[in-house]
Amino acid sequence: MEKKLLSGNEAIARGAYEANASVATGYPGTPSTEILENISKFYGDKIYCEWAPNEKVAFETAAGATTTGARAITTMKLVGLNVAADPLMTLAYTGVAGGFIAVVADDPGMNSSQNEQDTRLFAHFAKVPVLEPADSQEAKEFVKIGFEISEQFGTPVILRTTTTTSHSRSVVELGAPIELNRPHSFKKDPQRFVPIPAFARGMRVRLEERVEKLAKAASISSLNRIEWNTNGDKRVGIVTSGAAYQYVKEVFPEANILKLGWCYPFPDELFLEFADQVERVFVIEELEDFMERRFKELGVATVGKRLGNEKLVPKYGPLDVDVLRDVKRKLAENEATKAYFVAPNVTKSDAKLPEIPTLPNRPPVLCPGCPHRGFFYALSKFDVVVSGDIGCYTLGVAPPLNCMDTVLCMGGGFTVAHGMDCAKNDRPVVGIVGDSTFFHSGMTGLMDVVYNKGKSTLVVLDNRITAMTGHQENPGTGKTILGEETFAASVSEIAKAMGCKNVVEINPRYLDETTKALKTAIESDEPWLIVAKEPCPLAYRKKLEKNYRVNQEKCKKCGGCLKIGCPAIERAADKTVSVNESLCVDCGLCAQVCKFNALEEVDLAAAKGGLV
Amino acid sequence: MNAQTNTKESTSVVLVGVGGQGILLASAIIAQAALTTGYDVKTYEVHGMAQRGGSVLAQVRYGEKVYSPLIPKHEASVLASLERTEALRYVDYLAPHGLAVVSDQVIVPVTVSSGAATYPEMDETALKTYFPRLVYVSAVERALELGNARAANVILLGALSTKLDNLADDAWQKAIQTCVKPKFVDLNLQAFYLGRELAKNA
């Protein structure tokens, strides 16, 4: 079979195809987004795919599909599972008729996330199996095996990846899709599918029985294996899973390893079998001490997050080879463990390098031409508190715009603002969501504000796309994940239907109209919804005919144009300002803030002609 | 199961720059060349928030057997930077006697324009004090001479390929043909060999 280099996410998409899944749903979220993108791109003619407005909807749709006997997969990032927690907790009770996998991508190190929750604990809470691939080949295989576990035991299954397993590429051997040929037919069975208390109590009992059976199955599953070392030395046994396994293999090549791909329901028998055969058990896992606690519950002494009174394996942040070398060094130096380990030897250069100069930070920034920039610049002139949520516009928190005061969760911009208003905050409050987060869960907040006679100024920064995760369609864009035309939901019409009387659409690229709308709304005693509507220039690229240049004769070097924080505007050491022509996309915001009309729009064809 | 694999036998390459400069294509070509040669390959790249003008990093490792996709400190044979000073941010990755390939392009971050930070003075001589084995290239200028500024990444790739002698010329050619759109193959092959030539002269 063909071998390809695939990311973990691409491999999961391939796994869904090889496992003959019928339905795939999701909501974009780094590091999970590319799974559904790849399913739709390569297998969209065979697997029904959709971006749902949020993870709960995506989860429920997949859950519905699986009641017919079909195989369904849903994808989300770690915090997405919080949104989908309600259906998860009860789907564990009702169980599934077909195969069901929720892929949840964790983000140790918080590369693109607001928290670092460990989804394995969620699986434990919901009492459902959790599988953890360590590379792309496993990511693909675990989808296929996950469906089998799901169907054999009638349970939803969580496939947990991390940023490293989702975004690293490794070699994958492709397989042929299996044939299922099964009818998709819902069979009426209220005692199974309707958790009214009388039936749910029976489900509760069956759930506990299922967890016990799963634990036994996990103990003998091919997803879990012991790798004995070649020299027969049984003193050190390391328990690990997921990406951490790769680092353990590299740093502790001499160790015996219990490698978990299916760590919950806890395979107690396998845990004890391993512990019995080695002298000391070491647990090296990324994030929480999930498996280590279980070993302790089973009465096995372990070294993991702590070594005596000292911290050992970090409980937060990502692991890597360097982190584990530090761990090994500590183990080699500690009285209690030094007999077992030799400190790793790293070849560093002997040459003394001169001190490296302080490098300027390169935080992620709003792109040149981003419509959010104009809105935030206008907003920065008002004395208000700003509550936002998750999207590119969260970057409005950074200097020089300094516009975001609180962020809680997806869709939370409106409701947090409303709460401040309810508490009679001494300054006006502006609540912000994006187009995608409005449809995700922001719109219920708008309904709350109108219904309860709030007075907040609410803003939808509608750039016509789900931008931060890499430009996915959403219910407002008029296109499905497959690019088919569909109804484009209108934020303004939805707001009006909810009873919001004051709705205004503006283009945030124009400072005057943006400022005017904000002033009216902030001074009003009624709720206002401002829809700041302008497409993301990255998602909707247009051919550039003009861009801006600084007329050095007019420029007073006052630095006023730098206050919009545009990456295309650069200032030299002598304070001369210039526009980087390769970055400018002709949005014209700088020209609106320059008091000396020094920023001039130039016709590109003419400018080029002049040079020749 | 061979538990005694010597990881030092794997070759590691770090590519850095600023979001949008074409690092991912360069890392994809290296990975493809290694795969074609029959090596085990792993790569890692940054997605999401950091891509928006942030400092970005791509990593490629290949060898008989590769475990961690993330490159440990002091183990990269080559560190290539599409931006003049970004290489300094990742100097720890480079192995003793490793090769640094740096484009002279300067991308001024907003933190500098706004006055919150300064961009360090840095030229070839200064960079040589940190990277004794340095290939310093006017990659964008040379790419423009070939007709397309975006080929700068593949010029750097050509330069760094001189250090990766376990990948044959044929593997590089095939990889470029696989990873690049057909109409850009000739341009990129030209860029690649120009980069090789520049590294020879350095």
Side-chain angles (χ1 to χ4, degrees), chain B residues 29-88:
Chain B
I29 293 172
I30 301 171
Q32 187 60 43
L35 190 65
T36 309
T37 310
Y39 287 119
D40 186 22
V41 186
K42 286 188 179 172
T43 73
Y44 181 72
E45 59 204 39
V46 171
H47 292 233
M49 197 178 212
Q51 281 181 310
R52 302 273 176 267
S55 172
V56 292
L57 169 78
Q59 319 186 28
V60 184
R61 304 187 86 192
Y62 61 88
E64 293 309 315
K65 172 74 189 165
V66 179
Y67 288 110
S68 167
L70 309 176
I71 299 171
K73 300 272 165 66
H74 315 292
E75 279 194 19
S77 311
V78 184
L79 167 64
S81 176
L82 280 160
E83 206 272 350
R84 192 182 296 186
T85 60
E86 278 305 300
L88 290 171

Side-chain angles (χ1 to χ4, degrees), chain A residues 214-256:
Chain A
L214 285 164
K216 286 202 186 317
S219 275
I220 54 168
S221 167
S222 63
L223 302 191
N224 298 329
R225 64 170 184 262
I226 298 173
E227 296 177 4
W228 296 113
N229 63 18
T230 45
N231 60 16
D233 182 343
K234 297 273 176 84
R235 291 181 305 151
V236 173
I238 297 179
V239 181
T240 189
S241 69
Y245 162 78
Q246 308 291 357
Y247 317 138
V248 167
K249 286 296 280 186
E250 200 154 327
V251 178
F252 299 90
E254 70 285 359
N256 304 294

Side-chain angles (χ1 to χ4, degrees), chain B:
Chain B
M1 203 81 215
N2 177 12
Q4 302 295 333
T5 304
N6 183 356
T7 59
K8 302 283 181 202
E9 283 168 13
S10 65
T11 304
S12 299
V13 182
V14 173
L15 299 146
V16 303
V18 177
Q21 280 193 300
I23 286 175
L24 298 189
L25 175 66
S27 76
I29 293 172
I30 301 171
Q32 187 60 43
L35 190 65
T36 309
T37 310
Y39 287 119
D40 186 22
V41 186
K42 286 188 179 172
T43 73
Y44 181 72
E45 59 204 39
V46 171
H47 292 233
M49 197 178 212
Q51 281 181 310
R52 302 273 176 267
S55 172
V56 292
L57 169 78
Q59 319 186 28
V60 184
R61 304 187 86 192
Y62 61 88
E64 293 309 315
K65 172 74 189 165
V66 179
Y67 288 110
S68 167
L70 309 176
I71 299 171
K73 300 272 165 66
H74 315 292
E75 279 194 19
S77 311
V78 184
L79 167 64
S81 176
L82 280 160
E83 206 272 350
R84 192 182 296 186
T85 60
E86 278 305 300
L88 290 171
R89 210 185 291 279
Y90 303 96
V91 65
D92 278 358
Y93 280 96
L94 200 58
H97 315 296
L99 176 71
V101 180
V102 178
S103 166
D104 68 355
Q105 191 186 10
V106 170
I107 297 180
V108 179
V110 174
T111 47
V112 170
S113 301
S114 67
T118 50
Y119 191 95
E121 290 280 325
M122 197 57 62
D123 57 14
E124 183 168 8
T125 315
L127 278 169
K128 267 224 153 98
T129 61
Y130 304 100
F131 304 111
R133 294 198 55 204
L134 173 73
V135 179
Y136 188 68
V137 190
S138 300
V140 176
E141 238 167 78
R142 304 309 291 265
L144 276 169
E145 286 166 20
L146 294 177
N148 192 332
R150 297 199 65 84
N153 54 355
V154 179
I155 293 179
L156 249 65
L157 182 70
L160 74 84
S161 72
T162 57
K163 174 77 181 172
L164 307 177
D165 48 16
N166 46 9
L167 300 177
D169 193 56
D170 184 46
W172 286 109
Q173 284 197 25
K174 272 191 201 151
I176 289 170
Q177 281 155 1
T178 310
C179 298
V180 173
K181 280 185 188 153
K183 66 172 176 174
F184 293 119
V185 167
D186 283 345
L187 168 75
N188 280 288
L189 284 171
Q190 274 181 24
F192 182 78
Y193 287 109
L194 176 63
R196 290 207 116 168
E197 210 46 48
L198 294 171
K200 264 183 208 157
N201 298 342

Side-chain angles (χ1 to χ4, degrees), chain A residues 121-141:
Chain A
L121 272 75
F122 229 128
H124 186 259
F125 184 32
K127 297 175 186 284
V128 302
V130 59
L131 311 183
E132 279 188 278
D135 60 22
S136 298
Q137 179 72 40
E138 287 193 351
K140 177 175 80 83
E141 295 308 317

Side-chain angles (χ1 to χ4, degrees), chain A residues 168-237:
Chain A
S168 65
R169 284 168 205 279
S170 54
V171 182
V172 176
E173 193 171 329
L174 305 185
I178 59 158
E179 284 192 31
L180 287 174
N181 295 326
R182 53 169 76 151
H184 293 174
S185 170
F186 175 76
K187 291 185 185 58
K188 191 177 171 79
D189 186 355
Q191 298 213 13
R192 183 166 174 201
F193 291 118
V194 185
I196 55 170
F199 297 158
R201 288 183 201 112
M203 295 176 193
R204 178 81 183 87
V205 175
R206 291 196 293 276
L207 178 60
E208 289 303 323
E209 290 166 357
R210 189 202 294 150
V211 168
E212 279 178 33
K213 284 182 197 154
L214 285 164
K216 286 202 186 317
S219 275
I220 54 168
S221 167
S222 63
L223 302 191
N224 298 329
R225 64 170 184 262
I226 298 173
E227 296 177 4
W228 296 113
N229 63 18
T230 45
N231 60 16
D233 182 343
K234 297 273 176 84
R235 291 181 305 151
V236 173

